[in-house]
Amino acid sequence: MDSIVVTGGQRLNGTIPISGAKNATLPLMIASLLTSEPVIFENVPDLADVNSLIRILTNHGVDYRVEGKRRGQQDLTGRTIHFSAEEIADTTAPYELVAKMRASFWVIGPLLARMHEAKVSLPGGCAIGTRPVDLFIASLEAMGAEITVEGGYVIASAKGGLKGAIYEFPKVSVGATHVAMMAATLAKGKTVLKNAAREPEVVDLATCLISMGANISGVGTSTITIEGVENLHGCRHRVLPDRIETGTYAMAVAMTGGDVLLKGAQPGLLQEVLDVLERVGVTIEPVNDGIRVSRNGAALKPVDIATDPFPGFPTDLQAQFMALMTRADGVSNIQETIFENRFMHVQELARLGAKIALDGQHAEVTGVAELTGAQVMATDLRASVSLVIAGLAAEGKTTVSRVYHLDRGFEHLEEKLSNCGALIERVSG
Ligand code: UD1
């Protein structure tokens, strides 16, 4: 298993290109199941999760084609991929494929909408809590689906097709909003989703569905209305920039000091995070082609945060922010409100010398003058990158093992950081 070795103490200076958002790419790819015509996505990141989902989609009968390099293109990041679900060959998503990544469960929406049946294994994914699927089931049942859970599979059918419904989510869920919205595009009549997620990735999916011919309004608010249509058609869509990657590198620069242009980043996608970083003492400057993040030698101020659905502070940046706060000049409080078990990075950060007291969903972080390099273990996607960030500022060498977690969601991490002066390398083993 590969490890990443970071030697801390270097400031970051230069440019980091921001990739297409993983969390937008996955539902967009799944939406290709809704139409027999080709859908083409630009700016698709080259990530293990994208490749896992390709395996799932091809099992359903989707053909795909990656566009080759074009004249003048520097490298193959931000690929353009064509997906074509001309015919759905299989409506079952088997355990071996779904277990790797929770989002693959989301195929249930389009399969049910287009084929009126689906059999999808209960999901796997990051071990950050129990993560049930009750909201998916309830919203699809509201649209007339009959659903049973047997032998680890969710088996759904909608004879004669799904029907429009009014459904209020008891809790905000990004995945369940994606799925209900996709399912409703082909349902008969009007669907109103209340307490829907407002995340930019939901907006990106809706924008794509609208270009495919769907009739959707209210996107970006907590009430989304979908008027079902007979068929959807193909389209071309550019994936929005990754706000979690943007926030992660902004925090890395905050940690080490330096001056970096996050190229292609859009401030509106993470305003709350940028505001918090400014309070910490980081200089944030939106520029034409991205966001410039810099910090001179000034101390990091402690700031309290609580994670929240968008537009609040994203849970996917909680671990990275905690890493940053381990070096703040004072005590900060971090409250995780989305997932019940998302503090697995705490004991690993402690190995680097961080002082963190945990009490349920709350962490009290007392900043220390220095972190010291150590061997640590990646436990989930965002937690692993928090260890890299901490390692960038630690004295000596930090070795992060189990980096397959990182490969699920961060494109060319070592390259992007080392181009800005970080001492970071991947060691195979
Ligand atoms: C998505 C993101 C993930 C992010 C999360 C919250 C992708 C691929 N993943 O995950 O990176 O951390 O949003 O912003 O986009 N819940 C239920 N029942 C359900 C569904 C969810 O109780 O049926 C709960 C979850 O356990 C969690 C909360 O709702 O406590 C929010 O989860 P949700 O928004 O669904 O997360 P994901 O869509 O899985």
Side-chain angles (χ1 to χ4, degrees), residues 22-24 26-27 49 101-103 106 128-137 171-176 178 197 199 201 243-244 308-309 314-316 337-340 342 381-382:
K22 169 182 91 74
N23 285 357
L26 302 177
D49 271 9
M101 181 183 47
R102 181 175 164 86
W106 302 350
I128 54 178
T130 50
R131 301 180 94 183
V133 293
D134 53 328
L135 304 178
F136 295 83
I137 293 180
K171 181 175 191 179
V172 177
S173 161
V174 175
H178 282 316
E199 267 64 6
E201 294 75 22
R243 64 195 167 100
I244 304 304
D308 239 338
T315 172
D316 284 354
T337 71
I338 310 286
F339 293 108
E340 75 269 26
R342 205 174 200 180
L381 170 54
R382 311 304 178 182

mmCIF file of all heavy atoms in Angstrom, residues 22-24 26-27 49 101-103 106 128-137 171-176 178 197 199 201 243-244 308-309 314-316 337-340 342 381-382, ligand 1:
data_model
loop_
_atom_site.group_PDB
_atom_site.id
_atom_site.type_symbol
_atom_site.label_atom_id
_atom_site.label_comp_id
_atom_site.label_asym_id
_atom_site.label_seq_id
_atom_site.Cartn_x
_atom_site.Cartn_y
_atom_site.Cartn_z
ATOM 1 N N LYS A 22 -15.442 16.436 -7.359
ATOM 2 C CA LYS A 22 -15.814 15.015 -7.260
ATOM 3 C C LYS A 22 -17.297 14.871 -6.940
ATOM 4 O O LYS A 22 -18.003 14.088 -7.556
ATOM 5 C CB LYS A 22 -14.994 14.335 -6.154
ATOM 6 C CG LYS A 22 -15.495 12.946 -5.811
ATOM 7 C CD LYS A 22 -14.717 12.305 -4.689
ATOM 8 C CE LYS A 22 -15.270 12.543 -3.308
ATOM 9 N NZ LYS A 22 -16.484 11.788 -2.975
ATOM 10 N N ASN A 23 -17.773 15.626 -5.962
ATOM 11 C CA ASN A 23 -19.147 15.438 -5.505
ATOM 12 C C ASN A 23 -20.196 15.953 -6.488
ATOM 13 O O ASN A 23 -21.385 15.723 -6.300
ATOM 14 C CB ASN A 23 -19.353 16.097 -4.136
ATOM 15 C CG ASN A 23 -18.716 15.278 -3.023
ATOM 16 O OD1 ASN A 23 -18.179 14.205 -3.275
ATOM 17 N ND2 ASN A 23 -18.780 15.784 -1.802
ATOM 18 N N ALA A 24 -19.748 16.693 -7.507
ATOM 19 C CA ALA A 24 -20.672 17.044 -8.588
ATOM 20 C C ALA A 24 -20.571 16.005 -9.693
ATOM 21 O O ALA A 24 -21.573 15.592 -10.278
ATOM 22 C CB ALA A 24 -20.351 18.430 -9.135
ATOM 23 N N LEU A 26 -19.939 12.809 -9.617
ATOM 24 C CA LEU A 26 -20.582 11.506 -9.389
ATOM 25 C C LEU A 26 -22.089 11.540 -9.720
ATOM 26 O O LEU A 26 -22.555 10.720 -10.516
ATOM 27 C CB LEU A 26 -20.315 11.012 -7.963
ATOM 28 C CG LEU A 26 -18.827 10.858 -7.592
ATOM 29 C CD1 LEU A 26 -18.675 10.424 -6.137
ATOM 30 C CD2 LEU A 26 -18.127 9.850 -8.499
ATOM 31 N N PRO A 27 -22.861 12.477 -9.157
ATOM 32 C CA PRO A 27 -24.284 12.478 -9.538
ATOM 33 C C PRO A 27 -24.507 12.802 -11.014
ATOM 34 O O PRO A 27 -25.458 12.301 -11.624
ATOM 35 C CB PRO A 27 -24.909 13.553 -8.628
ATOM 36 C CG PRO A 27 -23.769 14.361 -8.118
ATOM 37 C CD PRO A 27 -22.583 13.444 -8.081
ATOM 38 N N ASP A 49 -12.748 7.373 -7.271
ATOM 39 C CA ASP A 49 -14.205 7.287 -7.156
ATOM 40 C C ASP A 49 -14.882 7.380 -8.524
ATOM 41 O O ASP A 49 -15.905 6.739 -8.766
ATOM 42 C CB ASP A 49 -14.747 8.410 -6.249
ATOM 43 C CG ASP A 49 -14.773 7.977 -4.782
ATOM 44 O OD1 ASP A 49 -14.214 6.897 -4.471
ATOM 45 O OD2 ASP A 49 -15.325 8.720 -3.946
ATOM 46 N N MET A 101 -18.168 2.564 -2.619
ATOM 47 C CA MET A 101 -18.456 3.995 -2.607
ATOM 48 C C MET A 101 -19.946 4.236 -2.432
ATOM 49 O O MET A 101 -20.760 3.766 -3.215
ATOM 50 C CB MET A 101 -18.003 4.586 -3.944
ATOM 51 C CG MET A 101 -18.233 6.038 -4.037
ATOM 52 S SD MET A 101 -17.777 6.699 -5.625
ATOM 53 C CE MET A 101 -18.505 5.587 -6.735
ATOM 54 N N ARG A 102 -20.280 4.993 -1.397
ATOM 55 C CA ARG A 102 -21.678 5.210 -1.046
ATOM 56 C C ARG A 102 -22.498 5.820 -2.198
ATOM 57 O O ARG A 102 -23.640 5.441 -2.425
ATOM 58 C CB ARG A 102 -21.735 6.120 0.185
ATOM 59 C CG ARG A 102 -23.131 6.386 0.651
ATOM 60 C CD ARG A 102 -23.142 7.176 1.924
ATOM 61 N NE ARG A 102 -24.462 7.731 2.162
ATOM 62 C CZ ARG A 102 -25.440 7.085 2.772
ATOM 63 N NH1 ARG A 102 -25.261 5.878 3.219
ATOM 64 N NH2 ARG A 102 -26.618 7.659 2.934
ATOM 65 N N ALA A 103 -21.889 6.763 -2.913
ATOM 66 C CA ALA A 103 -22.657 7.483 -3.932
ATOM 67 C C ALA A 103 -23.159 6.557 -5.041
ATOM 68 O O ALA A 103 -24.108 6.900 -5.749
ATOM 69 C CB ALA A 103 -21.814 8.608 -4.532
ATOM 70 N N TRP A 106 -26.803 5.809 -5.499
ATOM 71 C CA TRP A 106 -27.696 6.804 -6.107
ATOM 72 C C TRP A 106 -28.243 6.391 -7.474
ATOM 73 O O TRP A 106 -29.183 7.000 -7.972
ATOM 74 C CB TRP A 106 -26.996 8.170 -6.217
ATOM 75 C CG TRP A 106 -26.512 8.706 -4.901
ATOM 76 C CD1 TRP A 106 -26.791 8.220 -3.645
ATOM 77 C CD2 TRP A 106 -25.648 9.826 -4.699
ATOM 78 N NE1 TRP A 106 -26.158 8.972 -2.685
ATOM 79 C CE2 TRP A 106 -25.453 9.963 -3.307
ATOM 80 C CE3 TRP A 106 -25.025 10.733 -5.555
ATOM 81 C CZ2 TRP A 106 -24.649 10.969 -2.751
ATOM 82 C CZ3 TRP A 106 -24.231 11.740 -5.017
ATOM 83 C CH2 TRP A 106 -24.049 11.849 -3.627
ATOM 84 N N ILE A 128 -17.769 7.126 8.376
ATOM 85 C CA ILE A 128 -17.883 8.351 9.180
ATOM 86 C C ILE A 128 -19.234 8.415 9.880
ATOM 87 O O ILE A 128 -19.722 9.466 10.206
ATOM 88 C CB ILE A 128 -17.661 9.625 8.327
ATOM 89 C CG1 ILE A 128 -18.597 9.642 7.120
ATOM 90 C CG2 ILE A 128 -16.212 9.735 7.905
ATOM 91 C CD1 ILE A 128 -18.472 10.894 6.266
ATOM 92 N N GLY A 129 -19.832 7.270 10.104
ATOM 93 C CA GLY A 129 -21.119 7.264 10.796
ATOM 94 C C GLY A 129 -21.975 6.168 10.199
ATOM 95 O O GLY A 129 -21.536 5.465 9.291
ATOM 96 N N THR A 130 -23.195 6.016 10.686
ATOM 97 C CA THR A 130 -23.999 4.895 10.197
ATOM 98 C C THR A 130 -24.542 5.154 8.791
ATOM 99 O O THR A 130 -24.728 4.235 8.026
ATOM 100 C CB THR A 130 -25.158 4.592 11.160
ATOM 101 O OG1 THR A 130 -25.825 5.825 11.420
ATOM 102 C CG2 THR A 130 -24.668 3.982 12.447
ATOM 103 N N ARG A 131 -24.810 6.376 8.444
ATOM 104 C CA ARG A 131 -25.252 6.766 7.106
ATOM 105 C C ARG A 131 -26.339 5.870 6.522
ATOM 106 O O ARG A 131 -26.127 5.131 5.562
ATOM 107 C CB ARG A 131 -24.052 6.851 6.152
ATOM 108 C CG ARG A 131 -23.014 7.843 6.633
ATOM 109 C CD ARG A 131 -21.845 7.926 5.709
ATOM 110 N NE ARG A 131 -21.974 8.996 4.735
ATOM 111 C CZ ARG A 131 -21.082 9.237 3.776
ATOM 112 N NH1 ARG A 131 -20.043 8.466 3.647
ATOM 113 N NH2 ARG A 131 -21.238 10.236 2.945
ATOM 114 N N PRO A 132 -27.540 5.927 7.084
ATOM 115 C CA PRO A 132 -28.633 5.093 6.582
ATOM 116 C C PRO A 132 -29.162 5.584 5.224
ATOM 117 O O PRO A 132 -28.720 6.612 4.718
ATOM 118 C CB PRO A 132 -29.707 5.257 7.659
ATOM 119 C CG PRO A 132 -29.410 6.558 8.307
ATOM 120 C CD PRO A 132 -27.935 6.789 8.189
ATOM 121 N N VAL A 133 -30.126 4.827 4.651
ATOM 122 C CA VAL A 133 -30.704 5.229 3.363
ATOM 123 C C VAL A 133 -32.216 5.459 3.474
ATOM 124 O O VAL A 133 -32.926 5.448 2.492
ATOM 125 C CB VAL A 133 -30.403 4.187 2.250
ATOM 126 C CG1 VAL A 133 -28.929 4.139 1.933
ATOM 127 C CG2 VAL A 133 -30.921 2.803 2.622
ATOM 128 N N ASP A 134 -32.690 5.684 4.718
ATOM 129 C CA ASP A 134 -34.138 5.836 4.926
ATOM 130 C C ASP A 134 -34.743 6.997 4.126
ATOM 131 O O ASP A 134 -35.871 6.898 3.639
ATOM 132 C CB ASP A 134 -34.424 6.008 6.437
ATOM 133 C CG ASP A 134 -33.612 7.124 7.065
ATOM 134 O OD1 ASP A 134 -32.471 7.351 6.603
ATOM 135 O OD2 ASP A 134 -34.104 7.776 8.000
ATOM 136 N N LEU A 135 -34.000 8.079 3.958
ATOM 137 C CA LEU A 135 -34.571 9.239 3.263
ATOM 138 C C LEU A 135 -34.734 8.966 1.767
ATOM 139 O O LEU A 135 -35.659 9.457 1.127
ATOM 140 C CB LEU A 135 -33.690 10.482 3.459
ATOM 141 C CG LEU A 135 -33.411 10.871 4.911
ATOM 142 C CD1 LEU A 135 -32.487 12.081 4.975
ATOM 143 C CD2 LEU A 135 -34.716 11.186 5.630
ATOM 144 N N PHE A 136 -33.803 8.196 1.216
ATOM 145 C CA PHE A 136 -33.916 7.808 -0.202
ATOM 146 C C PHE A 136 -35.199 6.992 -0.369
ATOM 147 O O PHE A 136 -36.004 7.236 -1.262
ATOM 148 C CB PHE A 136 -32.738 6.926 -0.621
ATOM 149 C CG PHE A 136 -31.412 7.615 -0.593
ATOM 150 C CD1 PHE A 136 -30.688 7.739 0.583
ATOM 151 C CD2 PHE A 136 -30.864 8.136 -1.758
ATOM 152 C CE1 PHE A 136 -29.460 8.359 0.612
ATOM 153 C CE2 PHE A 136 -29.635 8.759 -1.748
ATOM 154 C CZ PHE A 136 -28.924 8.877 -0.559
ATOM 155 N N ILE A 137 -35.360 6.001 0.529
ATOM 156 C CA ILE A 137 -36.493 5.092 0.415
ATOM 157 C C ILE A 137 -37.809 5.857 0.584
ATOM 158 O O ILE A 137 -38.723 5.734 -0.223
ATOM 159 C CB ILE A 137 -36.351 3.940 1.449
ATOM 160 C CG1 ILE A 137 -35.140 3.080 1.045
ATOM 161 C CG2 ILE A 137 -37.626 3.110 1.542
ATOM 162 C CD1 ILE A 137 -34.859 1.905 1.960
ATOM 163 N N LYS A 171 -34.652 15.640 7.215
ATOM 164 C CA LYS A 171 -33.282 16.059 7.487
ATOM 165 C C LYS A 171 -32.665 16.413 6.138
ATOM 166 O O LYS A 171 -32.998 15.766 5.138
ATOM 167 C CB LYS A 171 -32.573 14.844 8.095
ATOM 168 C CG LYS A 171 -31.158 15.011 8.480
ATOM 169 C CD LYS A 171 -30.699 13.727 9.166
ATOM 170 C CE LYS A 171 -29.353 13.965 9.815
ATOM 171 N NZ LYS A 171 -28.872 12.786 10.509
ATOM 172 N N VAL A 172 -31.787 17.388 6.095
ATOM 173 C CA VAL A 172 -31.185 17.758 4.803
ATOM 174 C C VAL A 172 -30.196 16.668 4.390
ATOM 175 O O VAL A 172 -29.280 16.330 5.136
ATOM 176 C CB VAL A 172 -30.443 19.115 4.898
ATOM 177 C CG1 VAL A 172 -29.762 19.437 3.574
ATOM 178 C CG2 VAL A 172 -31.397 20.220 5.295
ATOM 179 N N SER A 173 -30.394 16.124 3.200
ATOM 180 C CA SER A 173 -29.469 15.116 2.685
ATOM 181 C C SER A 173 -29.118 15.448 1.238
ATOM 182 O O SER A 173 -30.004 15.586 0.384
ATOM 183 C CB SER A 173 -30.094 13.726 2.756
ATOM 184 O OG SER A 173 -29.422 12.838 1.880
ATOM 185 N N VAL A 174 -27.822 15.559 0.987
ATOM 186 C CA VAL A 174 -27.360 15.871 -0.365
ATOM 187 C C VAL A 174 -27.724 14.715 -1.304
ATOM 188 O O VAL A 174 -28.355 14.899 -2.343
ATOM 189 C CB VAL A 174 -25.831 16.089 -0.359
ATOM 190 C CG1 VAL A 174 -25.293 16.285 -1.769
ATOM 191 C CG2 VAL A 174 -25.470 17.277 0.525
ATOM 192 N N GLY A 175 -27.357 13.500 -0.898
ATOM 193 C CA GLY A 175 -27.575 12.341 -1.759
ATOM 194 C C GLY A 175 -29.053 12.106 -2.031
ATOM 195 O O GLY A 175 -29.456 11.860 -3.178
ATOM 196 N N ALA A 176 -29.878 12.180 -0.989
ATOM 197 C CA ALA A 176 -31.300 11.907 -1.182
ATOM 198 C C ALA A 176 -31.934 12.994 -2.053
ATOM 199 O O ALA A 176 -32.860 12.720 -2.831
ATOM 200 C CB ALA A 176 -32.000 11.792 0.172
ATOM 201 N N HIS A 178 -30.311 14.622 -4.525
ATOM 202 C CA HIS A 178 -29.895 14.267 -5.896
ATOM 203 C C HIS A 178 -30.823 13.201 -6.473
ATOM 204 O O HIS A 178 -31.297 13.305 -7.601
ATOM 205 C CB HIS A 178 -28.483 13.646 -5.875
ATOM 206 C CG HIS A 178 -27.348 14.618 -5.732
ATOM 207 N ND1 HIS A 178 -27.262 15.792 -6.428
ATOM 208 C CD2 HIS A 178 -26.193 14.534 -5.007
ATOM 209 C CE1 HIS A 178 -26.128 16.407 -6.120
ATOM 210 N NE2 HIS A 178 -25.465 15.667 -5.258
ATOM 211 N N ALA A 197 -31.555 19.789 -0.135
ATOM 212 C CA ALA A 197 -30.190 20.306 0.031
ATOM 213 C C ALA A 197 -29.967 21.454 -0.961
ATOM 214 O O ALA A 197 -30.497 21.447 -2.067
ATOM 215 C CB ALA A 197 -29.188 19.190 -0.219
ATOM 216 N N GLU A 199 -26.752 22.559 -1.659
ATOM 217 C CA GLU A 199 -25.331 22.507 -2.006
ATOM 218 C C GLU A 199 -25.109 22.846 -3.484
ATOM 219 O O GLU A 199 -25.941 22.507 -4.338
ATOM 220 C CB GLU A 199 -24.800 21.088 -1.729
ATOM 221 C CG GLU A 199 -24.184 20.863 -0.363
ATOM 222 C CD GLU A 199 -25.141 21.005 0.818
ATOM 223 O OE1 GLU A 199 -26.352 21.177 0.595
ATOM 224 O OE2 GLU A 199 -24.678 20.962 1.968
ATOM 225 N N GLU A 201 -23.402 21.423 -5.579
ATOM 226 C CA GLU A 201 -23.394 20.222 -6.420
ATOM 227 C C GLU A 201 -24.823 19.845 -6.815
ATOM 228 O O GLU A 201 -25.041 19.264 -7.882
ATOM 229 C CB GLU A 201 -22.697 19.065 -5.689
ATOM 230 C CG GLU A 201 -21.197 19.287 -5.442
ATOM 231 C CD GLU A 201 -20.878 20.280 -4.322
ATOM 232 O OE1 GLU A 201 -21.755 20.504 -3.455
ATOM 233 O OE2 GLU A 201 -19.763 20.835 -4.314
ATOM 234 N N ARG A 243 -15.118 22.772 -4.450
ATOM 235 C CA ARG A 243 -15.007 23.728 -3.335
ATOM 236 C C ARG A 243 -14.273 23.099 -2.159
ATOM 237 O O ARG A 243 -13.669 23.798 -1.340
ATOM 238 C CB ARG A 243 -16.396 24.251 -2.927
ATOM 239 C CG ARG A 243 -17.315 23.194 -2.395
ATOM 240 C CD ARG A 243 -18.762 23.663 -2.338
ATOM 241 N NE ARG A 243 -19.628 22.531 -2.106
ATOM 242 C CZ ARG A 243 -20.149 22.196 -0.925
ATOM 243 N NH1 ARG A 243 -19.920 22.937 0.131
ATOM 244 N NH2 ARG A 243 -20.930 21.140 -0.807
ATOM 245 N N ILE A 244 -14.340 21.773 -2.038
ATOM 246 C CA ILE A 244 -13.647 21.124 -0.919
ATOM 247 C C ILE A 244 -12.140 21.119 -1.187
ATOM 248 O O ILE A 244 -11.336 21.396 -0.293
ATOM 249 C CB ILE A 244 -14.191 19.695 -0.710
ATOM 250 C CG1 ILE A 244 -15.709 19.721 -0.500
ATOM 251 C CG2 ILE A 244 -13.468 19.011 0.452
ATOM 252 C CD1 ILE A 244 -16.199 20.599 0.651
ATOM 253 N N ASP A 308 -22.371 22.607 9.002
ATOM 254 C CA ASP A 308 -23.779 22.801 8.687
ATOM 255 C C ASP A 308 -23.995 22.523 7.203
ATOM 256 O O ASP A 308 -23.052 22.647 6.435
ATOM 257 C CB ASP A 308 -24.152 24.278 8.955
ATOM 258 C CG ASP A 308 -25.261 24.386 9.983
ATOM 259 O OD1 ASP A 308 -25.992 23.404 10.153
ATOM 260 O OD2 ASP A 308 -25.374 25.459 10.603
ATOM 261 N N PRO A 309 -25.225 22.192 6.806
ATOM 262 C CA PRO A 309 -25.477 22.091 5.360
ATOM 263 C C PRO A 309 -25.179 23.436 4.690
ATOM 264 O O PRO A 309 -25.180 24.477 5.365
ATOM 265 C CB PRO A 309 -26.973 21.769 5.273
ATOM 266 C CG PRO A 309 -27.317 21.153 6.589
ATOM 267 C CD PRO A 309 -26.420 21.829 7.594
ATOM 268 N N PRO A 314 -18.767 23.465 5.566
ATOM 269 C CA PRO A 314 -18.954 22.068 5.136
ATOM 270 C C PRO A 314 -18.273 21.053 6.036
ATOM 271 O O PRO A 314 -17.120 21.245 6.439
ATOM 272 C CB PRO A 314 -18.331 22.026 3.731
ATOM 273 C CG PRO A 314 -17.592 23.284 3.552
ATOM 274 C CD PRO A 314 -17.960 24.253 4.632
ATOM 275 N N THR A 315 -18.978 19.966 6.311
ATOM 276 C CA THR A 315 -18.388 18.890 7.106
ATOM 277 C C THR A 315 -17.138 18.326 6.410
ATOM 278 O O THR A 315 -16.218 17.860 7.072
ATOM 279 C CB THR A 315 -19.426 17.772 7.360
ATOM 280 O OG1 THR A 315 -18.780 16.670 7.972
ATOM 281 C CG2 THR A 315 -20.100 17.288 6.093
ATOM 282 N N ASP A 316 -17.099 18.414 5.089
ATOM 283 C CA ASP A 316 -15.947 17.875 4.356
ATOM 284 C C ASP A 316 -14.678 18.715 4.547
ATOM 285 O O ASP A 316 -13.620 18.355 4.023
ATOM 286 C CB ASP A 316 -16.271 17.773 2.857
ATOM 287 C CG ASP A 316 -17.182 16.589 2.549
ATOM 288 O OD1 ASP A 316 -17.463 15.806 3.469
ATOM 289 O OD2 ASP A 316 -17.603 16.456 1.391
ATOM 290 N N THR A 337 -21.960 18.628 13.155
ATOM 291 C CA THR A 337 -23.407 18.419 13.300
ATOM 292 C C THR A 337 -23.973 17.491 12.233
ATOM 293 O O THR A 337 -25.148 17.136 12.290
ATOM 294 C CB THR A 337 -24.174 19.762 13.224
ATOM 295 O OG1 THR A 337 -24.125 20.219 11.875
ATOM 296 C CG2 THR A 337 -23.598 20.819 14.140
ATOM 297 N N ILE A 338 -23.166 17.119 11.227
ATOM 298 C CA ILE A 338 -23.725 16.339 10.114
ATOM 299 C C ILE A 338 -23.549 14.830 10.330
ATOM 300 O O ILE A 338 -24.495 14.073 10.181
ATOM 301 C CB ILE A 338 -23.065 16.743 8.766
ATOM 302 C CG1 ILE A 338 -23.082 18.264 8.575
ATOM 303 C CG2 ILE A 338 -23.728 16.020 7.590
ATOM 304 C CD1 ILE A 338 -24.402 18.882 8.230
ATOM 305 N N PHE A 339 -22.339 14.427 10.660
ATOM 306 C CA PHE A 339 -22.073 12.995 10.851
ATOM 307 C C PHE A 339 -21.686 12.737 12.307
ATOM 308 O O PHE A 339 -20.977 13.546 12.918
ATOM 309 C CB PHE A 339 -20.953 12.517 9.919
ATOM 310 C CG PHE A 339 -21.343 12.561 8.465
ATOM 311 C CD1 PHE A 339 -20.810 13.512 7.611
ATOM 312 C CD2 PHE A 339 -22.272 11.660 7.964
ATOM 313 C CE1 PHE A 339 -21.192 13.560 6.285
ATOM 314 C CE2 PHE A 339 -22.659 11.697 6.630
ATOM 315 C CZ PHE A 339 -22.109 12.646 5.782
ATOM 316 N N GLU A 340 -22.114 11.567 12.830
ATOM 317 C CA GLU A 340 -21.908 11.334 14.268
ATOM 318 C C GLU A 340 -20.533 10.775 14.605
ATOM 319 O O GLU A 340 -20.153 10.706 15.748
ATOM 320 C CB GLU A 340 -23.028 10.440 14.834
ATOM 321 C CG GLU A 340 -22.936 8.982 14.490
ATOM 322 C CD GLU A 340 -23.683 8.629 13.205
ATOM 323 O OE1 GLU A 340 -23.863 9.510 12.333
ATOM 324 O OE2 GLU A 340 -24.076 7.475 13.072
ATOM 325 N N ARG A 342 -17.292 11.566 12.941
ATOM 326 C CA ARG A 342 -16.350 12.106 11.975
ATOM 327 C C ARG A 342 -15.165 12.773 12.663
ATOM 328 O O ARG A 342 -14.722 13.847 12.271
ATOM 329 C CB ARG A 342 -17.048 13.090 11.042
ATOM 330 C CG ARG A 342 -16.300 13.166 9.735
ATOM 331 C CD ARG A 342 -16.960 13.996 8.684
ATOM 332 N NE ARG A 342 -16.420 13.596 7.387
ATOM 333 C CZ ARG A 342 -16.772 14.106 6.242
ATOM 334 N NH1 ARG A 342 -17.696 15.026 6.197
ATOM 335 N NH2 ARG A 342 -16.221 13.702 5.120
ATOM 336 N N LEU A 381 -11.520 9.804 3.554
ATOM 337 C CA LEU A 381 -11.038 10.722 2.522
ATOM 338 C C LEU A 381 -10.574 12.093 3.052
ATOM 339 O O LEU A 381 -9.450 12.517 2.820
ATOM 340 C CB LEU A 381 -12.167 10.873 1.498
ATOM 341 C CG LEU A 381 -12.074 11.923 0.432
ATOM 342 C CD1 LEU A 381 -10.780 11.782 -0.342
ATOM 343 C CD2 LEU A 381 -13.260 11.782 -0.519
ATOM 344 N N ARG A 382 -11.464 12.778 3.756
ATOM 345 C CA ARG A 382 -11.115 14.143 4.179
ATOM 346 C C ARG A 382 -10.165 14.114 5.377
ATOM 347 O O ARG A 382 -9.331 14.999 5.535
ATOM 348 C CB ARG A 382 -12.372 14.945 4.507
ATOM 349 C CG ARG A 382 -13.455 14.888 3.442
ATOM 350 C CD ARG A 382 -12.985 15.335 2.066
ATOM 351 N NE ARG A 382 -14.067 15.213 1.082
ATOM 352 C CZ ARG A 382 -13.951 15.481 -0.204
ATOM 353 N NH1 ARG A 382 -12.798 15.878 -0.709
ATOM 354 N NH2 ARG A 382 -14.970 15.350 -1.022
HETATM 355 C C1 UD1 B 1 -22.568 14.033 0.539
HETATM 356 C C2 UD1 B 1 -21.127 14.151 0.103
HETATM 357 C C3 UD1 B 1 -20.207 14.089 1.306
HETATM 358 C C4 UD1 B 1 -20.622 15.137 2.330
HETATM 359 C C5 UD1 B 1 -22.091 15.037 2.661
HETATM 360 C C6 UD1 B 1 -22.588 16.157 3.547
HETATM 361 C C7 UD1 B 1 -21.049 13.209 -2.110
HETATM 362 C C8 UD1 B 1 -20.579 12.113 -2.999
HETATM 363 N N1 UD1 B 1 -20.823 13.071 -0.813
HETATM 364 O O1 UD1 B 1 -22.697 12.763 1.155
HETATM 365 O O2 UD1 B 1 -18.882 14.324 0.841
HETATM 366 O O3 UD1 B 1 -19.872 14.938 3.501
HETATM 367 O O4 UD1 B 1 -22.879 15.071 1.454
HETATM 368 O O5 UD1 B 1 -22.326 17.387 2.971
HETATM 369 O O6 UD1 B 1 -21.601 14.178 -2.573
HETATM 370 N N2 UD1 B 1 -28.870 10.582 6.203
HETATM 371 C C9 UD1 B 1 -29.866 9.829 6.765
HETATM 372 N N3 UD1 B 1 -30.651 9.071 5.955
HETATM 373 C C10 UD1 B 1 -30.477 9.033 4.596
HETATM 374 C C11 UD1 B 1 -29.458 9.835 4.025
HETATM 375 C C12 UD1 B 1 -28.668 10.603 4.861
HETATM 376 O O7 UD1 B 1 -30.050 9.836 7.988
HETATM 377 O O8 UD1 B 1 -31.228 8.323 3.907
HETATM 378 C C13 UD1 B 1 -28.014 11.408 7.098
HETATM 379 C C14 UD1 B 1 -26.542 11.031 7.042
HETATM 380 O O9 UD1 B 1 -26.252 9.906 7.844
HETATM 381 C C15 UD1 B 1 -25.906 12.296 7.543
HETATM 382 C C16 UD1 B 1 -26.822 13.394 6.970
HETATM 383 O O10 UD1 B 1 -28.038 12.747 6.639
HETATM 384 O O11 UD1 B 1 -25.943 12.342 8.937
HETATM 385 C C17 UD1 B 1 -26.296 14.094 5.764
HETATM 386 O O12 UD1 B 1 -25.857 13.129 4.828
HETATM 387 P P1 UD1 B 1 -25.956 13.354 3.256
HETATM 388 O O13 UD1 B 1 -26.126 14.794 2.973
HETATM 389 O O14 UD1 B 1 -26.964 12.394 2.717
HETATM 390 O O15 UD1 B 1 -24.512 12.892 2.789
HETATM 391 P P2 UD1 B 1 -24.142 12.173 1.450
HETATM 392 O O16 UD1 B 1 -25.059 12.584 0.369
HETATM 393 O O17 UD1 B 1 -23.933 10.724 1.698
#
